[in-house]
Amino acid sequence: MAAGSSLGGAIFPIMVKGLVAERDLRWSIRAAAFLILGLLIYANLTVKSRLPPQPKPWNIMKFIKPLREVPFLLTVLASFAFFFGMFLPFNFIILSAESNGMSANLAGYLVAVLNAVSIFGPYILFAAFYGFSSGAFVALAPALIAQISDIRQIGVRTGTMCK
């Protein structure tokens, strides 16, 4: 899932930029939505659960109780702090690069580079290292939760961390 996120983060900015240049924003967003719909249908038809589903009644305490364990609480707090600041470069890297002289055409690809991890220049180098390190943490956080949790609690605990 984390690898797909990085791949999509590299493909979508380039795809939408090209579509906006050819068509308009509305058709670009529709094309992206149809691509996501197609991939979602494929995933729903091909992914199978390892364990049979066992519906359980919803209980808020299932989400609060794990927060009493210090390793889980520290992992959740660290994840919150990381994700709180992680997306700032996504918002400002293009503006910063353009204001420091990078062409608007090349700067438009920085978010894709940030996700694809390519190294060709000062801003691109930052985008590559940032994309490499942030992608590693995004993939690592759920693995940490799985490592410190009972297998029956992984879903609830991952949901607690991500909310």
Side-chain angles (χ1 to χ4, degrees):
M1 182 175 73
S5 172
S6 294
L7 181 62
I11 292 172
F12 271 92
I14 296 170
M15 181 183 93
V16 171
K17 182 179 179 181
L19 287 171
V20 167
E22 283 186 29
R23 302 279 180 178
D24 62 357
L25 182 62
R26 287 187 295 185
W27 276 107
S28 302
I29 299 302
R30 286 180 189 136
F34 284 128
L35 177 61
I36 293 169
L37 178 64
L39 294 172
L40 178 64
I41 290 170
Y42 176 77
N44 284 330
L45 294 175
T46 59
V47 174
K48 294 182 180 178
S49 176
R50 184 175 59 86
L51 301 172
Q54 299 176 350
K56 298 175 186 168
W58 192 83
N59 183 354
I60 188 73
M61 290 310 292
K62 286 182 184 178
F63 297 93
I64 295 174
K65 187 177 178 184
L67 293 170
R68 295 179 185 158
E69 297 175 19
V70 174
F72 181 75
L73 179 64
L74 292 176
T75 303
V76 168
L77 291 174
S79 296
F80 173 79
F82 175 81
F83 286 115
F84 191 72
M86 182 184 123
F87 292 107
L88 289 176
F90 284 85
N91 295 320
F92 296 111
I93 192 167
I94 294 172
L95 295 173
S96 177
E98 287 177 359
S99 69
N100 286 307
M102 184 178 272
S103 74
N105 187 37
L106 181 58
Y109 289 100
L110 285 176
V111 172
V113 171
L114 197 141
N115 284 294
V117 188
S118 295
I119 302 172
F120 294 105
Y123 280 102
I124 295 174
L125 184 66
F126 168 76
F129 283 127
Y130 182 82
F132 179 77
S133 60
S134 67
F137 182 82
V138 168
L140 184 62
L144 291 173
I145 296 299
Q147 183 71 28
I148 64 172
S149 302
D150 181 356
I151 193 167
R152 294 175 299 256
Q153 297 294 317
I154 291 174
V156 169
R157 289 174 174 226
T158 302
T160 300
M161 179 189 73
C162 293
K163 297 290 177 188

